[in-house]
Amino acid sequence: MPIPHPLPPLNREFITHFGEMGSRWGVNRTVGQIYALLYISSEPVNADEIAEALDFSRSNVSMGLKELQAWRLVRLRHLPSDRREYFEAPEDVWEIFRVLAEERRRREVEPTLSMLRSALLQDAGCEAEEHAQARMREMHDLIDRLMTWFDDVQKLAPETAMQLMGMGSTVTKVLGIKDRLIGRSPPTSIPAKKPHKDQ
């Protein structure tokens, strides 16, 4: 089914929202809108169709598609008897999330971990540096543990990962039981003041 022109209001609303969110995710508005259009399209779309549907210049569409390919968020397709290049977003939402998370990790998290490891290997020259290293070690350990957890989740089948995410409060209850079994009591709230006798 070709892209309707003009776009229906619901499609336009979704695409506009992704454009607005793009800058918060580290991509520009154009890239966000192109991705949203590809995501809701029922079949692969070529650059000319994208430019017409979104009223973008052909050069802006080409640059946007290159950036989305660099993020591994779109796939290139060729159709029989058609020399043009077509693009599509992965159909599996879990796959999209996994790729996006991996790319953000490679671009943002790993450089931070590398800097922290380097800083922690240095000899502290004064008390202020010792304190800074202690704080950096806390940050490093937390990020490292989160990345290890993420790697474990990545190995799960999509269905299992979705079940895990849906367990929410059940996991919290299990951890609470574990704490009680090993004698670690959860933090207690401050008891309310007893009312005065005259009250």
Side-chain angles (χ1 to χ4, degrees):
M1 182 179 66
I3 299 175
H5 193 74
L7 289 167
L10 184 62
N11 297 39
R12 173 59 67 181
E13 181 182 353
F14 179 77
I15 290 167
T16 300
H17 174 76
F18 259 72
E20 293 168 355
M21 293 299 296
S23 59
R24 303 182 190 186
W25 297 337
V27 297
N28 64 40
R29 181 186 298 266
T30 300
V31 173
Q33 290 189 2
I34 292 172
Y35 182 73
L37 176 67
L38 293 173
Y39 179 77
I40 61 175
S41 294
S42 59
E43 56 190 42
V45 184
N46 64 53
D48 292 326
E49 292 171 328
I50 296 171
E52 182 181 1
L54 299 179
D55 197 23
F56 290 162
S57 70
R58 183 67 167 70
S59 60
N60 280 347
V61 171
S62 295
M63 287 189 293
L65 288 170
K66 284 179 181 176
E67 185 164 350
L68 287 169
Q69 285 179 290
W71 279 86
R72 297 185 296 136
L73 288 172
V74 298
R75 290 192 293 246
L76 176 63
R77 288 277 305 276
H78 287 96
L79 303 184
S81 304
D82 193 332
R83 298 176 61 183
R84 292 174 295 181
E85 293 180 335
Y86 286 77
F87 300 86
E88 63 182 0
E91 292 184 7
D92 184 356
V93 177
W94 177 253
E95 173 69 10
I96 295 169
F97 168 77
R98 187 184 64 76
V99 170
L100 184 59
E102 280 183 357
E103 284 296 316
R104 295 208 73 126
R105 171 182 178 169
R106 182 174 65 83
R107 296 163 187 247
E108 301 167 19
V109 177
E110 289 180 1
T112 300
L113 275 176
S114 179
M115 177 271 159
L116 289 170
R117 290 188 191 107
S118 176
L120 292 172
L121 288 172
Q122 297 179 38
D123 293 327
C126 62
E127 187 176 342
E129 286 189 345
E130 288 178 1
H131 177 75
Q133 279 188 324
R135 298 291 287 160
M136 284 188 276
R137 185 170 289 104
E138 291 175 4
M139 180 181 290
H140 171 275
D141 291 348
L142 175 61
I143 296 174
D144 190 55
R145 182 169 291 189
L146 285 171
M147 291 303 98
T148 300
W149 174 83
F150 178 71
D151 289 339
D152 291 340
V153 172
Q154 290 271 63
K155 297 171 187 173
L156 298 175
E159 301 79 12
T160 307
M162 293 298 284
Q163 287 178 334
L164 177 63
M165 286 188 282
M167 289 175 70
S169 61
T170 305
V171 173
T172 305
K173 290 175 185 174
V174 170
L175 292 175
I177 292 171
K178 181 211 58 154
D179 285 343
R180 287 195 293 275
L181 288 174
I182 64 174
R184 183 189 302 162
S185 56
T188 55
S189 56
I190 299 173
K193 289 183 179 180
K194 293 181 180 179
H196 195 274
K197 291 180 180 180
D198 295 338
Q199 290 180 341

